[in-house]
């Protein structure tokens, strides 16, 4: 994710990093060359003049507006829902930590140690969800937070966050059997675990069900036909300004097409994707702070890009 | 569902599978032929010139934009709501499994066996909802997961998922009578069953109430009139380019009309419908993994198309 | 509600039933006649030529797009919210039935009879909500499902579903006093009754608060001025094609205006309204099936139109 | 609120009451006069011809479409959220009444009297919220429903509904101390009080946070510049028809601007605002009917306008 | 936040404060100068005529409409969600206050004092969230509401509201240990604390995840290219009116771009941001009023601007 602030209006016009130009530079060059050739031949292919008046673009533009408006909104909704789910993970982690710290009645040193293990399991849960969504194995990384047997048990499993959630559930159930909590508090904590379950399920839903493929194809085609025909359509009325105008208009549409593609899969590691690692670090820092578990100082990054 | 990734921008322009071309090829050929005839006769019917200037299409285009924008959004909302409901089914199945495994106090071997039966009932519930939405009987398939009497009882019932849910409810109620859970946990588990009930009801709602028929008719008509009149409107200004342009514009609108139709009924088995079978398999795999019920290895499909 | 499937694309163009043509046929004839007169006089009123070039319609079209897009979305939202509320009624009825069957501990024959009465009360609740929304009295129809005293008590009441809900509440409260359920289950069932209460309130809200009247007026006026001025605006550029084009464009806008009007009051009995009777029958069949109350076989209708 | 039904399509064109014409009549007259002057001078100011071709209006129209579409949706959302909150108040009042009547175990005559007092407090709560939102004091009116000490206590308070809610909470808490309810029912009723609290907070939010002022300014300016420039832009192409067309287009935009302003503050007493008094009367009638508290007969109003 | 009411329609056209003109005055002057130069040279750069006909702007306008419509909606959603979260804070603070006052059974004078401390902690929580979102330290300000040790403990913490929430949780947990509340009420109050946790998390989400940067860049560029090219495009058709028209159109788009930027970060202290301080004061006043804690009279501000 790019966390850059909007700067001076003039500088914003010439920013490279964070705009998607590096992803679409090839296409833009192709269009620029095509424009220059069209300008040179005055829109003729051999002797056949290509008749394309600007009105045609209003008609195609209608289709484009419908597709782009829709796909953009749908993609951003996926992005924002993903963000909400991870925001909910922050919230629920803290609530569960607070509940465990204040509602579980076990002042013995083992109790304190056990609670710390529990809170590390929450952190492990967050990291494992992160790894699953980004298709990384990551079990070795979890050894920092889980016991050796737990890591061992997880090794050949497919739905690791779900299994860790079962660990958490067992821990809570054990506390109930030891009478450190009564059933009502148990039910209340269990309710929180269902929230975690919902977060896993929600993220999987976004990750496994892309925007229907037919939309992507249709949008992509309409955008490119539109842009490749623009030079022929504008060559007569704009003269030497044509390549510049074509390039700008193409830039806006092709860039939006690229952004839609990136934003629609919000759990990746590209420039406009969610900063899952940062969120995981925040959760870990925050719940360790609540439980007073010793940890390294928090060092903010200086870079514009957080992953 | 097509799970294909977006590929290179150039290849995307020539993909056949996953675009809806095979569903609308007839209409496109009709329009192509009409365009060529119109071009040959220069837009005359006998001696009567058909006067249709491009501005007219802006006016019809306004209506088209309103209808298409709306119907597309409404259809996609149905699709995404359907997906959310099935996502919720994944979530709730796992949560219920976790609750049964950790909160029900019955360490005896019969208890373990009984819990396994219970978890198979959850899987049966998911498959039966799938079969109901796709209008399949499927009771024989359920014999893999349910006992013989249960399958027998289901045979002439209409709302099979609801009845299976009652089985699940009875099982839980029996556990309460055997004092394996207290009332608070009972209420909490019952709450989960209400969630299942809501998922059934939500899916039925989408399945039984199509987009109001009047919208479909109106959209369909406006799209086709627009496309059939395009050749007459563009023949004078575009010359020999006309059939090509008409074909492209028609393609975008007719394809969107077809997509809207497909997406709006998300529980079918067409290319852009939800992959209910895959989701059911995922649920089964995941909850069996949680409960350590032995099962075959998971084999991902290699095909673009999952059903 | 029209439950017709979309058929062949060609047949869709000539369907009469389910399109709203029969509601707007008068207006379309008026416009057709006006178009022919305008064509005959070449857009003059006496000697004054009416100057209306197509660009004007782009300007009015802007207002039209804003109004229509908004009113259509707002109306459909009302329709879909109404559908959701009735879908929730299906869900909650089944959940409540399941809870009463599995959680209430009364194996005596009177208990079974009492539960059947209870489930009939749920059905009565649904029908009474239906009657209230459609402004029918219907108390006599309820005698099939309620006891004589209950029907008597309801006779002069205004908010019948609310009173039936109180009956249901009393029944549950009595079960608690007889110790057939404990307080936690009582609270859980009571929670379900609150859901019923929300459904009643939600339906009343939609039914009592129409779309602000000023929108209807403004939309209606803009549509009709637009359509009545079209002949003058297009007579010069389209020639003899004009009446046909005007008729098509008018059809789309006036039909949408009519659909908006119908859809916005989803509890009526018109072609595009919700099929409340069918939903009530479904609920009754489904909960009777759950409770194994004997009933007639379900016979699906063959008609396109369900009420 | 205007509760008028849509009538005959022809009559709808000439309705005065309920359209917002009386609020914008001055502006429309100014524009009409300006149009006539422009027509007389043929768009010249002294000898300078004002060059404004219709294309310009397409450009400004773009901005207008964005602003109007947005502000209208945002305003209507505020209106509909306000309506939903008051609908929730109806729902929760009935639910709370049902809970108090069926779940509180106190068959003594004092108990019945006390419950009646309680139900009157609910009604008082609704009215006081109404008064607060409309900036009326109304404490004297509440004496009909509350005891003298309560009215006295409220006199110099700022958040009256919140304090009445505390009264309600105390009453419930007292019942718990007298053992008429156990803690679970207490928690369930308390949950309902939180719903009331949410309704108060939601209404205050809408009431205290207007649509950001910058939007209002920008929309207002764009609308008026657009309308005031229209005569100059259309005078050449439309001739003597120009004032009529300008008036119609101006009417649609200025009327929508006025509606947006009215709808955006839904708790006022203007024609398109919510009928809070009617809702309060409905709540009172309905919960008194539930509790069989004697009251006057309900007399529906005959007027189109309910406040 | 500007709380100004909409005034007379004529005055609205000339309001300075509350419109965003002071933020964009530089850009507007640059465009005005550019327009005048273009007018003087009649759109030529040296001898090269810049060919830009108005149709081009329709094409760019399409992209602009898509970007602006989307970014504006997305920004406003962030603003309104922020407002909703703070509205929820008002609601939950009052509910928690009511629960503590009526449900906690401790009539001793120490109990009353302790409850007052508790209610001050709620106020401290609100203020600390405010300070965190606005990047202020504010611990010294909290000493008015918290005990000295608490303030001391908070000094080097990063997530202060979360820690204060833990204080609140501990207080409640202590009351449970002293048997002033039973577990059910404890769970119900704990539920409220989870709501507080959600509010913190929601605010952090909005504050930490801006609108994807690529959108800002793309919108900004399209707006400015559009505005800077307008003079060349309109110079031939509008003549001496051109600078005026260009200025108005530029004003609307650049102002909207600026509003989008402001509204999208709703927790700042600019003119169109949320009035967090006022909301905090309202909460404090309201819950102190509920608990009858002596406080200063409420004095409403007379200024248009509240922070």
């Amino acid at each position: 994710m790019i966390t850059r602030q909007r700067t001076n209006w003039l500088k914003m016009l010439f920013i490279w990093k964070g705009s998607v130009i590096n992803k679409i530079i090839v296409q833009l060059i192709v269009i620029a060359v095509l424009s220059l050739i069209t300008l040179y031949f005055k829109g003729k292919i051999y002797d056949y003049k290509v008749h394309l008046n600007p009105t045609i673009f209003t008609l195609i533009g209608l289709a484009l507006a419908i597709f782009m408006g829709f796909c953009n909104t749908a993609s951003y909704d996926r992005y924002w829902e993903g963000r909400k789910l991870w925001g909910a993970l922050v919230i629920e982690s803290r609530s569960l930590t607070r509940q465990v710290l204040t509602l579980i009645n076990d002042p013995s040193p083992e109790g304190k140690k056990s609670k710390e293990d529990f809170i590390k399991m929450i952190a492990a849960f967050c990291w494992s969800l992160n790894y699953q969504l980004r298709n990384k194995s990551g079990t070795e990384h979890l050894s920092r937070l889980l016991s050796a047997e737990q890591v061992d048990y997880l090794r050949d499993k497919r739905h690791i966050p779900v299994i860790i959630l079962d660990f958490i559930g067992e821990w809570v159930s054990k506390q109930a059997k030891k009478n450190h909590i009564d059933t009502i508090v148990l039910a209340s904590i269990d309710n929180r675990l269902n929230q975690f379950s919902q977060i896993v399920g929600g993220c999987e839903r976004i990750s496994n069900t892309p925007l229907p493929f037919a939309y992507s194809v249709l949008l992509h085609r309409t955008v490119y036909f539109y842009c490749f025909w623009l030079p022929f359509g504008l060559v007569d009325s704009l003269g030497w300004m044509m390549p510049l105008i074509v390039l700008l208009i193409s830039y806006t549409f092709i860039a939006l097409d690229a952004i839609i593609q990136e934003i629609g899969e919000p759990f990746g590691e590209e420039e406009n994707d969610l900063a899952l690692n940062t969120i995981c670090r925040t959760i870990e820092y925050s719940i360790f702070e609540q439980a007073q578990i010793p940890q390294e100082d928090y060092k903010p990054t200086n870079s514009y890009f957080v992953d």
Side-chain angles (χ1 to χ4, degrees), chain A:
Chain A
M1 202 174 64
I2 304 286
T3 54
R4 202 164 184 173
Q5 290 297 312
R6 281 177 75 130
T7 58
N8 181 284
W9 63 277
L10 209 59
K11 282 188 199 148
M12 282 287 281
L13 295 180
F14 302 101
I15 278 174
W16 180 276
K17 181 146 184 93
S19 70
V20 289
I21 291 186
N22 50 341
K23 287 192 76 172
I24 59 171
I25 190 78
V26 178
Q27 291 97 305
L28 291 182
I29 289 171
V30 170
I31 287 170
V33 170
L34 181 69
S35 296
L36 292 171
I37 294 172
T38 309
L39 184 61
Y40 184 82
F41 290 107
K42 305 207 167 156
K44 284 186 192 164
I45 296 176
Y46 299 98
D47 280 350
Y48 292 95
K49 174 73 181 170
V50 178
H51 298 278
L52 280 174
N53 58 352
T55 319
I56 296 306
F57 294 100
T58 315
L59 300 187
I60 311 181
L62 178 71
L64 209 59
I66 296 173
F67 294 158
M68 280 223 142
F70 167 71
C71 287
N72 188 28
T73 309
S75 271
Y76 181 72
D77 280 355
R78 294 166 59 84
Y79 172 84
W80 196 234
E81 194 188 349
R83 183 64 188 84
K84 273 190 174 162
L85 287 167
W86 277 87
L89 191 57
V90 178
I91 294 162
E92 298 297 337
S93 303
R94 286 174 181 164
S95 289
L96 185 56
T97 303
R98 199 198 58 250
Q99 287 184 323
V100 164
L101 292 177
T102 61
L103 302 183
I104 290 185
N105 235 332
D106 185 3
S108 68
E110 297 84 47
K112 192 161 182 302
K113 175 72 185 53
S114 173
K115 282 181 186 177
E116 281 188 10
D117 288 350
F118 181 78
I119 283 155
K120 282 179 182 167
M121 279 200 276
I122 300 175
F125 171 80
C126 300
W127 283 106
S128 71
L129 181 57
N130 179 345
Y131 295 144
Q132 178 181 315
L133 292 174
R134 290 187 166 174
N135 291 318
K136 296 176 176 172
S137 76
T139 26
E140 69 285 356
H141 192 76
L142 296 177
S143 60
R144 187 169 62 80
L145 297 162
L146 296 177
S147 71
E149 310 92 79
Q150 285 175 328
V151 172
D152 214 57
Y153 183 84
L154 289 174
R155 208 166 302 278
D156 60 334
K157 294 288 184 283
R158 283 188 69 236
H159 299 279
I160 294 181
V162 177
I163 308 289
I164 296 183
L165 205 54
D166 285 348
F167 293 164
I168 294 177
E170 274 162 36
W171 187 93
V172 173
S173 160
K174 250 180 235 165
Q175 298 295 319
K177 277 177 204 152
K178 290 187 200 161
N179 279 322
H180 296 151
I181 44 175
D182 67 1
T183 336
I184 290 163
V185 173
L186 175 66
S188 166
I189 289 181
D190 194 75
N191 202 24
R192 212 121 313 284
L193 302 191
N194 291 342
Q195 299 293 325
F196 280 112
S197 193
Q198 284 191 16
I199 290 163
V200 178
C203 289
E204 282 183 9
R205 170 164 50 79
I206 293 174
S207 175
N208 292 342
T209 308
L211 201 66
F213 191 62
Y215 282 116
S216 298
V217 173
L218 213 53
L219 173 63
H220 194 84
R221 281 183 195 174
T222 316
V223 167
Y224 280 90
F225 280 120
Y226 188 89
C227 294
F228 283 133
W229 284 357
L230 264 185
F232 299 101
L234 301 181
V235 69
D236 292 337
S237 55
L238 296 189
W240 62 270
M241 287 287 288
M242 186 269 283
L244 204 68
I245 302 282
V246 165
L247 212 60
L248 175 75
I249 297 181
S250 301
Y251 167 57
T252 56
F253 286 120
I254 292 178
L256 188 53
D257 183 51
I259 294 176
I260 288 172
Q261 184 179 353
E262 247 185 55
I263 294 277
E265 303 296 336
F267 301 130
E269 295 180 277
E270 289 179 298
E271 275 186 353
N272 288 298
D273 289 333
L274 292 171
L276 300 191
N277 290 348
T278 308
I279 296 175
C280 281
R281 267 191 295 271
T282 304
I283 293 174
E284 195 178 314
Y285 190 91
S286 179
I287 61 179
F288 280 23
E289 189 175 271
Q290 278 181 281
Q292 295 179 280
I293 298 175
Q295 60 180 334
E296 290 174 39
D297 274 3
Y298 187 88
K299 38 185 183 302
T301 50
N302 295 312
S303 151
Y304 288 148
F305 179 75
V306 294
D307 64 334

